[in-house]
Amino acid sequence: MNRFSIKQLIYLLTITLAGVIFSVIFHFPLVIGFLPGYLVIVHLANRNNQSFKQIVQISIRGVYKTRIVILILFLVSFLLPSWYLSGTIDQMVKIALYLINPHYFYVLTFVAAMVFSMLLGTTVGTLSAIGIPILGTAVVLNLSTAVVAGALVSGAFVGDRTSPFSSANQLLAHTLELPVKKQWNAMFLTTIIAVVLSMLFYGVFDFFSTEKMIHTISFEWGELTFLKFIPPIILLVLVLFRLSIIYAFISSVLSAAIISLVDGGTVSEVGSAFWKGIEGLGGGFLHMYELLLFLALAGAYNGLLEELNVIQPYLDKWLQRSTSLTGDTLKTFSATLLISVIAANQTLPIILTGRSFLPHWKNHYGEEELARVMGDTTMLFPGMVPWSVLAIMCSTIVGVPILEYLPYALFLWVLPLITLMVSLFKHVKKSNKAAAAE
């Protein structure tokens, strides 16, 4: 097999990224924008002595590697509608609004969004569930909607990045060939630091809010029913007992569907919600199938990139110049930021950065270190790029322009700085040990 020339590589990446940008600008499905790039790599592979039969086999193996993530995303499309119909989300929202004391509104908004996102595993779902009622309450209390939106988005990204129920978290783990538990351990230190800093940050705003406010949320604990807590409890228990995340999602969705039927819902209503989703909340297969197709195509594309060794030789040359954890962290940081800016989505940066950098990091530092760096950069950059699909969705849901709330979304932009400092600290510590040994 001949190695891809640098001209072929530049041509491939240009067509791929141009197609993705075209999709974002003209609101076409990503799978359509990504297709030209896949066709180009198929053509170049064929020119480099690969038969079409071999290309199809490699593509199928690439799709097979992403099968778990595709199945999880498929089930996630049913999770929010089922929890909504069963009354679970409504009950959780009532509790969240009741527990948010106006005197600590900003901090508790961040905490509520963080808890919801850890349970739901999605930024968009969390903001959809609690964003509008919390922002409405903030307007009544005459608080800054930009700061509240920043707190909401920060909290929502905690779970999107960290929760085992998050499709992005699962995608990163599978891309890096790392168990979710080990990935969690790798991210734990920087997560705790960022969460504590965020709480202190929003606490300062609460401290300087001089207006005296009264609690306006009416709520009775007697309104709650244990039955509606069953779906999230099942999800949590099965995951804690280390059963397959697939079975956990299926069990939670089925229990929520049964509860909605017991409460008077009809099979047609449940089926319609699973198909179309819930207006204003999301979910549903119709809102997910394009992403599933994109993931499958991206898996085929990356299978060809890997097995044909398209990028790795040139990437290895670039990485050979780095001799430290700090240097490689900065290179990973730069590469993933560039991909996020151009690709304008969360999925592609995770797949491209992860598969391209994994061999080098695996040999020098281990997959866990790469999981930390990517968890603190790749998972968050799409939330900061104004033209990113995820950032646009967040801004649309909270009703505040991204450039207004971004300065207050501390969790998003402090984590990349923290992970750079952690890498620097580990590098200095290792150097001191080496010097002492000599």
Side-chain angles (χ1 to χ4, degrees):
M1 181 183 68
N2 298 325
R3 194 174 79 172
F4 278 52
S5 68
I6 189 66
K7 287 184 178 179
Q8 289 177 326
L9 178 60
I10 292 173
Y11 174 59
L12 171 63
L13 295 180
T14 301
I15 295 298
T16 302
L17 295 176
V20 172
I21 293 171
F22 177 84
S23 289
V24 172
I25 292 174
F26 294 100
H27 306 290
F28 279 97
L30 278 172
V31 66
I32 293 176
F34 202 70
L35 185 59
Y38 176 72
L39 295 177
V40 167
I41 195 172
V42 167
H43 171 67
L44 294 177
N46 183 246
R47 285 186 60 184
N48 283 15
N49 301 323
Q50 295 291 314
S51 69
F52 283 113
K53 182 180 179 180
Q54 290 174 314
I55 291 169
V56 170
Q57 290 174 339
I58 294 171
S59 297
I60 291 173
R61 287 197 290 271
V63 175
Y64 187 74
K65 285 183 179 180
T66 64
R67 70 194 185 283
I68 300 298
V69 178
I70 291 172
L71 185 53
I72 289 172
L73 270 177
F74 174 74
L75 294 172
V76 165
S77 68
F78 303 138
L79 189 70
L80 290 177
S82 66
W83 282 21
Y84 176 83
L85 292 177
S86 66
T88 299
I89 288 181
D90 182 58
Q91 191 160 275
M92 291 166 69
V93 168
K94 285 181 179 178
I95 294 173
L97 290 177
Y98 176 76
L99 294 176
I100 294 179
N101 188 309
H103 295 286
Y104 311 101
F105 195 92
Y106 297 120
V107 167
L108 292 176
T109 292
F110 170 74
V111 172
M114 178 173 65
V115 171
F116 262 75
S117 66
M118 288 299 292
L119 288 171
L120 297 177
T122 163
T123 300
V124 174
T126 298
L127 295 177
S128 299
I130 65 172
I132 294 174
I134 286 180
L135 278 162
T137 306
V139 171
V140 172
L141 299 174
N142 198 29
L143 296 173
S144 169
T145 54
V147 179
V148 174
L152 280 167
V153 173
S154 283
F157 265 91
V158 175
D160 190 88
R161 162 190 174 275
T162 316
S163 171
F165 310 134
S166 164
S167 57
N169 182 279
Q170 292 283 337
L171 177 61
L172 179 62
H174 282 84
T175 301
L176 300 183
E177 301 171 359
L178 193 66
V180 173
K181 185 179 179 182
K182 284 190 176 182
Q183 181 167 282
W184 163 271
N185 292 336
M187 294 182 181
F188 184 75
L189 175 62
T190 54
T191 302
I192 292 298
I193 295 172
V195 167
V196 170
L197 288 176
S198 296
M199 292 179 70
L200 291 173
F201 179 75
Y202 299 118
V204 169
F205 283 98
D206 281 320
F207 181 78
F208 287 104
S209 295
T210 55
E211 295 181 14
K212 299 296 181 183
M213 300 167 290
I214 59 172
H215 210 296
T216 58
I217 307 300
S218 176
F219 176 73
E220 293 291 337
W221 288 100
E223 298 175 7
L224 302 182
T225 59
F226 175 76
L227 190 68
K228 294 179 181 179
F229 283 119
I230 289 177
I233 289 174
I234 287 176
L235 193 61
L236 288 171
V237 169
L238 292 184
V239 170
L240 289 174
F241 279 93
R242 299 183 181 180
L243 294 178
S244 169
I245 189 75
I246 303 296
Y247 296 136
F249 273 118
I250 291 173
S251 301
S252 182
V253 168
L254 287 177
S255 65
I258 292 170
I259 291 169
S260 66
L261 293 174
V262 170
D263 281 348
T266 64
V267 174
S268 62
E269 286 175 345
V270 174
S272 176
F274 281 4
W275 182 254
K276 299 178 182 177
I278 304 297
E279 188 174 352
L281 184 63
F285 180 73
L286 281 179
H287 293 99
M288 190 65 76
Y289 80 93
E290 290 175 353
L291 179 58
L292 298 179
L293 291 174
F294 169 71
L295 274 175
L297 187 62
Y301 180 93
N302 283 282
L304 290 167
L305 281 183
E306 282 186 58
E307 293 203 29
L308 301 182
N309 211 22
V310 177
I311 295 178
Q312 208 60 48
Y314 301 103
L315 190 62
D316 287 341
K317 280 186 178 180
W318 187 48
L319 291 172
Q320 279 171 4
R321 299 171 190 169
S322 296
T323 56
S324 71
L325 178 60
T326 307
D328 284 332
T329 298
L330 282 169
K331 287 195 172 183
T332 305
F333 183 111
S334 304
T336 198
L337 177 59
L338 178 63
I339 295 171
S340 298
V341 167
I342 297 173
N345 71 86
Q346 193 179 36
T347 306
L348 201 58
I350 291 174
I351 295 174
L352 287 182
T353 305
R355 300 312 300 178
S356 299
F357 280 78
L358 180 60
H360 178 82
W361 280 76
K362 194 173 184 178
N363 291 332
H364 291 80
Y365 316 106
E367 303 95 316
E368 289 90 343
E369 290 294 341
L370 181 57
R372 168 181 62 83
V373 172
M374 287 187 63
D376 296 342
T377 56
T378 313
M379 304 278 273
L380 303 174
F381 287 153
M384 293 187 277
V385 177
W387 51 88
S388 164
V389 175
L390 185 56
I392 291 170
M393 291 176 73
C394 291
S395 178
T396 301
I397 293 168
V398 299
V400 179
I402 181 174
L403 294 180
E404 286 187 21
Y405 72 69
L406 188 57
Y408 308 108
L410 186 75
F411 188 81
L412 272 68
W413 53 264
V414 79
L415 262 173
L417 301 178
I418 292 172
T419 211
L420 283 173
M421 292 176 66
V422 169
S423 290
L424 180 61
F425 174 78
K426 288 186 175 184
H427 170 63
V428 171
K429 187 178 178 181
K430 185 178 179 181
S431 299
N432 290 340
K433 277 187 178 180
E438 293 174 1

